[in-house]
Every structure is written in structure tokens, then in C-alpha cells.
């Protein structure tokens, strides 16, 4: 069965600093037209930074769209669509936590909301950590926390960690740890 939708036209409704919003007219597999609203984003990276004591580094910060503080692994957006995800991950880990890693392992890619958003999030595991000073952006306020991997896994399963990229990364690292891959 053909499932592909073919773009007929695109109209930008908004172009911003972080996102663009466009409305596309598409041709459906059955020959009818439909509208699709798409949020464009350069994508981002998240880093599951695992200490030698099997603790993950987390950041707690206020997330305006939800009007609450969230517990997340270090993450950030790519400066441009051309920025290499690994370079972004290294930069974000250093900026938010002051940590550098000796080894970086790709844990894959995540599409956070494929129904309307074209964002890609690359997930990395960072090990062999050393620590220095944070380099937060002027508008960035966060607290760094270290949480044992087993505790973080339970927090995901209990609904205490609600951020999707963090849930995926924590569970991937926990499974890799159980399989002896980390």
C-alpha cells in the first residue's frame, strides 16, 4: 500500500529564532488534498552522562510551555541545521554541567512529536567524565543533580520524569548496563 503524501504547496505562517511554522497542502494516497501544519526546528541533542559511580547527570529547570520545573538530562538545540550532533552534545554537556567525556556512544535518534514537528533529537551516552566550570547562557537557569541510574530508571517508570527524551535515554542506558554494554 502506498502511504506517501506528496507536497503540493507550502506557506510560511511564522519564522522565528527557534522554530518556523508552515502550512502545507498535500496530496494523499487516495488522490484527495489535505492540510498539514509543520513546525520546523534545527533539531537538538541530549546527553546521558554517566559517572563512574553509575549516576546520571540531570538538570532541573523551569520549562515555560508547561509552567513547571522539569528534570531532564543535559540537552540543547543545534545552532544550525549544519552543526554536527556530536559537537552540539559536547558543547551542551560542558555548558550545562561543566563536564567533559572521554567516550561518546550514539544511542540513536528520536522524533519527539512526528504528527506536527520536524524536530530530530540525537541521543548520546557520555562516559569517562571529568568536571570543570559550567558555562550557562545568559538566559539559562538550572540546577545540576546526580541521580543513580537505578533510581532514575524507577523515576521514569513511576512517572516522576516526564520528559520524553530523558525517558528514552535513561531506559536505553539502563538496558545497555544490564546487557553489559556499558
Amino acid at each position: 500500500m502506498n502511504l506517501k503524501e506528496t507536497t503540493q504547496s507550502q506557506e510560511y505562517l511564522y519564522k522565528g529564532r527557534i522554530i518556523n511554522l508552515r502550512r502545507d497542502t498535500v496530496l494523499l494516497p487516495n488522490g484527495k488534498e489535505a492540510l498539514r501544519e509543520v513546525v520546523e526546528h534545527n533539531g537538538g541533542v541530549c546527553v546521558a552522562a554517566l559517572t563512574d559511580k553509575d549516576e546520571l547527570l540531570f538538570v532541573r529547570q523551569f520549562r515555560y510551555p508547561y509552567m513547571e520545573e522539569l528534570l531532564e538530562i543535559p540537552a540543547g538545540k543545534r545552532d544550525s541545521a549544519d552543526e554536527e550532533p556530536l559537537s552540539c552534545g559536547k558543547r551542551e554537556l560542558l555548558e550545562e554541567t561543566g563536564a567533559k567525556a572521554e567516550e561518546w556512544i550514539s544511542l540513536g535518534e528520536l522524533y519527539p512529536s512526528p504528527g506536527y514537528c520536524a524536530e530530530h533529537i540525537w541521543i548520546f551516552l557520555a562516559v569517562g567524565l571529568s568536571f570543570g566550570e559550567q558555562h550557562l547562557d545568559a538566559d539559562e537557569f538550572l540546577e545540576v543533580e546526580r541521580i543513580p541510574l537505578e533510581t532514575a530508571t524507577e523515576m521514569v517508570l513511576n512517572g516522576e520524569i516526564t520528559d520524553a527524551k530523558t525517558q528514552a535515554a535513561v531506559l536505553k542506558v539502563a538496558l545497555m548496563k544490564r546487557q553489559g554494554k556499558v
Side-chain angles (χ1 to χ4, degrees):
M1 171 188 264
N2 176 20
L3 301 175
K4 185 174 181 180
E5 298 178 1
T6 307
T7 305
Q8 301 297 297
S9 66
Q10 294 182 331
E11 173 190 9
Y12 280 90
L13 305 174
Y14 173 78
K15 287 192 174 187
R17 184 175 59 88
I18 297 174
I19 63 166
N20 297 327
L21 174 62
R22 64 173 212 261
R23 181 174 41 226
D24 295 358
T25 301
V26 300
L27 185 63
L28 300 172
N30 66 3
K32 295 184 179 182
E33 286 190 345
L35 293 177
R36 298 288 183 250
E37 295 173 344
V38 178
V39 175
E40 296 177 340
H41 186 281
N42 283 337
V45 172
C46 64
V47 180
L50 189 64
T51 70
D52 57 359
K53 295 180 181 177
D54 281 342
E55 302 163 315
L56 286 172
L57 300 184
F58 285 85
V59 294
R60 183 177 300 277
Q61 60 186 327
F62 185 80
R63 290 300 198 177
Y64 185 81
Y66 298 100
M67 299 305 286
E68 64 182 89
E69 289 180 8
L70 295 183
L71 189 61
E72 306 170 50
I73 58 174
K77 68 177 183 63
R78 295 192 302 163
D79 287 339
S80 73
D82 297 329
E83 183 180 20
E84 288 297 320
L86 181 56
S87 297
C88 178
K90 289 178 178 181
R91 183 188 73 243
E92 289 297 331
L93 181 63
L94 180 62
E95 284 179 7
E96 293 187 359
T97 69
K100 292 182 180 181
E102 291 178 12
E103 185 179 358
W104 290 81
I105 301 165
S106 173
L107 298 181
E109 193 175 343
L110 176 90
Y111 297 167
S113 294
Y116 65 89
C117 187
E119 181 181 12
H120 297 236
I121 298 176
W122 288 266
I123 307 169
F124 289 96
L125 170 61
V127 294
L129 303 180
S130 59
F131 295 90
E133 294 293 318
Q134 285 177 302
H135 303 281
L136 297 175
D137 294 333
D139 63 349
E140 196 169 33
F141 302 90
L142 54 83
E143 295 175 352
V144 178
E145 298 182 23
R146 294 181 185 207
I147 299 175
L149 177 59
E150 285 300 316
T151 302
T153 303
E154 288 300 317
M155 292 172 74
V156 168
L157 296 175
N158 293 334
E160 297 171 64
I161 295 176
T162 54
D163 176 60
K165 68 185 179 303
T166 299
Q167 289 180 345
V170 168
L171 296 177
K172 283 184 174 199
V173 172
L175 184 57
M176 289 176 70
K177 190 75 174 167
R178 286 189 189 122
Q179 293 175 344
K181 294 180 181 177
V182 178

